[in-house]
Amino acid sequence: MLEIRFHGRGGQGAVVASELLAQAVFFDGKVAQSFPFFGVERRGAPVTAFTRIDDHPIELRSFIEHPDVVVVLDPGLLRDTPVTGGLKPGGLLLVNSPQAPGAFSLPQGGTLATVDATRIAVGRKVGTATMPVVNTAMLGALARVTGAFTEASLERAIVAFVPSHPEENRAAARDGAESVRMEPVAPSSRPSPPSEEAAPLPFPEGPVASLPSNILHTSSWRTLRPVIDRDRCTRCNFCWEFCPDDAFDFDAEGFPVVKLLYCKGCGICATECPPDAIQMVTEA
Amino acid sequence: MGFKVLSGNGAQAEAARLARVQVIAAYPITPQTTIVEALADMVASGELKAQYVKVESEHSALQVCLSAAALGARTYSATSSQGLLLMHELLHWASGQRTPMVLGVVNRAVAPPWNIGADHADTMSQRDTGWIQFYPESNQEVLDTVLTAYRLVEDPEIRLPAMVTEDAFYLSHTFEPVDVPDPKVVDTFLPPKDARAILRPGVVSRLGSFTGPDHYVDFRHQVAEAMDRVLPKLQEVESEYARRSGRDLGGPLVGYRTEDADAVLLTLGTISTTARGVVDELRSSGQKVGMAKLRVFRPFPVEAVRALARDVSRLGVLDRSFTFGSSGPAASEVRSALYGVPSPPSVTSFLAGIGGRDVGPKDLHRVFQALLSSRSTGPRWMDLETDGGVVVHG
C-alpha cells in the first residue's frame, strides 16, 4: 500500500486533487481511498488530504501518520506546519516551489522534488492570478516522480471531472510532469531508531477549539492583505461592519485600521467598500 | 452500471437517483452539502425527474417531505448535526404519522464547541423518535443501505421513517470505488412506491390531529409494534437485495472472527473497518479477539447481541458519542440486552473518535489490550489518553 499526504490551504484545490487522484488510480485498475480533513472551512485555512493506493480493498479508515509521500501545495506552510512529521525514512517530499530541490531539507533522507506549480497555474490561467489553483500541476508532478498512477489516467480524470477549464488543467498537469525536478538526499545524521511518538504530526491530535486567533495564528492563512487608501476613504465604517473577524479598529481621526493579527484576507471589506478605497494586495 | 469512484455523499445522491425519488427538500449544512448539490444538479439536468423544493431551514425541509410522503410521494432529504437537531420536533411527527421516508444524515459533532468532525451525538440524540437507524462503514454500504431502506420503510407492515448515516469526512468526503447497480436491477427490487396515500385531494381525512387519552396510546403502541417487525422484515429485504445485487449486507450485527474469541469489540460506522484490520493483526499474533459491527441501532438487535455474547467472556462497546450521566449509548443498550441472560460477559464502555478525533490502528490496539487485561467496565475515554497536542485550559 502506498500512502500519500497532501498539505494545502482552502482554495488551492487539495480536496479536488484528492478526488482526481482517486479517479486516476481507479482508471489504472487499482483501489484508492482518498479523503480531505479540514478543521475549519475557510479560504486560506490549512487543509490536509490523505490518499491510500493498493491492489486490493483497504481495511483502514484513519489519518495517515506515516506516509510514503508528502505533497506540499503551499510552501508557506513549511514555516509553521511540521509537514514531514511521520514521513517514512526514504520517503518523498514534493513541494510547490520555484526553487531547486536542494533548497529544502529532509534530515531522515529520501527524495526531494520541487515543481513551480504556481507559475504553471498562472500561465495556464487555472484559477486567478492572485489565487492560482495549483492542484492539477502538482498531480502531474506527483505522477511523474512516484509512478504510482499513470499520467494518461490523470489526464483522463481531469477531462472527465474538472468542472471548469478542463483543457487548461490538463495542460497544467503536463507542465507539472515535464518540469518537476528531483534529487535523492542522504540522511544528514545517523538515523534514530523509529519511535512511535518521535515526530510531531502536522494535524491536530488534540483539542484545538476555543483558542483565540493570537494562539491559533489564523492570520497566517492570509494570502492577500487589505490596504486602505485614506484619500478615498469616507469613514463610513462599512469595512468594520462587514468584517467577519472584527479585524478593524479606528485611529484618532476615525479612519479604519486593519488589525493584521486577526485579518484572514477574505476581501469582503474590499468588495463592500462604497468608495472602493480598499485594495487587496498579495502578501510578500 | 459497474464501478464508479464516489464519495459517501455521492453514494447517497446516487442511491436517491436510483430510487427515483419524487420530492427532495433539503437545507445545506457541512458536511452534507455535496449530497444536495449533486441532487440539485441531477434535477436541473433532467437526469432525475423530481421536485426539488428549496426551503429556509431543516425544519421546513422535513415538513415538505412529510407532506409529500403523506400524499404518496417517495421523498429524500439529508442533513447533519445542528440541522438534525432542528428537525427534532418533526422527526416525532414522521414516525407518529407512520410516514415511510429516508433521510441521509452525515454524523457530525454537536456544538458547542463548534466542530464539523465525525461524532454520533446528533443521531444518538434522536434514538427515541421512532426512526430506524443505520450506521454504514463504507460508501458501498451507504448506497446499498439507502436502497434497502426505501424498500423496508415502504412495506405496508412497517411504514416508519429511516435514517442512513455516514461518518463526517471518513465517508462523506472519502472517494473510493463503489459498485453502482444497474437501474433495471433497482427498479425490479424497488418498484414505484405503493401510492396508497394517507391524504388524497378531494377526500376529507385527518392526519395527526387531536387524540385524547382514550386512543392516543393505541397510536403509540402501533409504532412500537411496527418497530418490532423491522428486523425480521429487514432480513427478507436484504436477502432479496443480495439475490439481485450480489451483495449481502449482513443484517443488524455483522460479526468478524468472533468464533472462539475471548474478547469481542462492538463498533459503529467507519471505526469498524480499522477494527477489522486490527483483529487480523491480533489474531496473527495469537490473541483470540473478534469484532462486530452494529449496523442497526434502532430497533436495537437484542437477539443478535445475545447470540454473539453467548460464548464470549468480555465484550467491549466502542461509542463515538456519550450519554451524559450514563455511558456510551450503544454500551448501555448492550448491557440492557444482556440483563438476565445466564453467565453474561462483562461489558466495557469505550469512547473514541469524539468530535472527529482520529481513531487509528494504534488506538484500537490500546482498546483491545484494555479489554483483555482490565476488569474495569468504564466508561473509558480513549481520546483523553493520547498526547493531546495543544492543551487547552479554561
Side-chain angles (χ1 to χ4, degrees), chain B residues 114-298:
Chain B
W114 202 247
N115 179 308
I116 58 173
D119 189 298
H120 295 163
D122 51 0
T123 48
M124 287 298 171
S125 299
Q126 315 306 328
R127 67 182 180 180
D128 297 337
T129 55
W131 282 61
I132 301 161
Q133 289 193 344
F134 294 96
Y135 289 84
E137 68 163 299
S138 69
N139 296 347
Q140 182 73 62
E141 194 181 336
V142 168
L143 183 141
D144 294 336
T145 303
V146 170
L147 293 175
T148 47
Y150 274 110
R151 174 71 186 270
L152 174 74
V153 299
E154 291 174 8
D155 190 289
E157 290 180 32
I158 306 296
R159 295 186 73 88
L160 284 174
M163 50 184 82
V164 179
T165 73
E166 312 167 51
D167 282 343
F169 300 100
Y170 290 101
L171 290 187
S172 68
H173 286 62
T174 294
F175 288 90
E176 59 187 12
V178 175
D179 191 355
V180 179
D182 189 290
K184 287 193 206 111
V185 171
V186 177
D187 287 344
T188 320
F189 171 74
L190 187 65
K193 187 178 172 189
D194 175 0
R196 269 182 299 180
I198 307 169
L199 297 178
R200 285 185 293 273
V203 179
V204 178
S205 50
R206 300 191 310 174
L207 185 59
S209 54
F210 182 83
T211 306
D214 47 351
H215 290 307
Y216 177 86
V217 61
D218 299 288
F219 283 91
R220 304 309 279 180
H221 186 236
Q222 283 177 7
V223 173
E225 286 186 317
M227 200 52 112
D228 286 344
R229 291 191 287 265
V230 165
L231 291 177
K233 185 62 71 180
L234 181 67
Q235 196 173 10
E236 284 174 33
V237 169
E238 287 189 355
S239 303
E240 188 182 336
Y241 189 75
R243 274 201 306 282
R244 295 189 187 280
S245 72
R247 281 186 301 282
D248 183 0
L249 284 159
L253 184 70
V254 188
Y256 180 71
R257 305 189 80 167
T258 58
E259 70 287 347
D260 79 347
D262 297 325
V264 170
L265 183 69
L266 260 69
T267 54
L268 294 98
T270 51
I271 292 174
S272 309
T273 311
T274 312
R276 203 175 297 111
V278 169
V279 163
D280 283 342
E281 285 172 26
L282 291 170
R283 281 274 180 177
S284 65
S285 67
Q287 305 205 60
K288 288 184 176 176
V289 296
M291 60 78 64
K293 170 177 60 167
L294 189 58
R295 277 191 68 233
V296 180
F297 183 73
R298 276 291 179 272

Side-chain angles (χ1 to χ4, degrees), chain A residues 45-80:
Chain A
V47 173
T48 308
F50 307 95
T51 299
R52 295 188 169 97
I53 300 174
D54 211 340
D55 295 323
H56 46 77
I58 297 160
E59 290 283 303
L60 191 59
R61 290 184 189 277
S62 57
F63 293 173
I64 295 172
E65 294 189 7
H66 299 289
D68 302 283
V69 179
V70 167
V71 181
V72 180
L73 278 70
D74 175 7
L77 285 167
L78 296 168
R79 273 200 309 269
D80 33 45

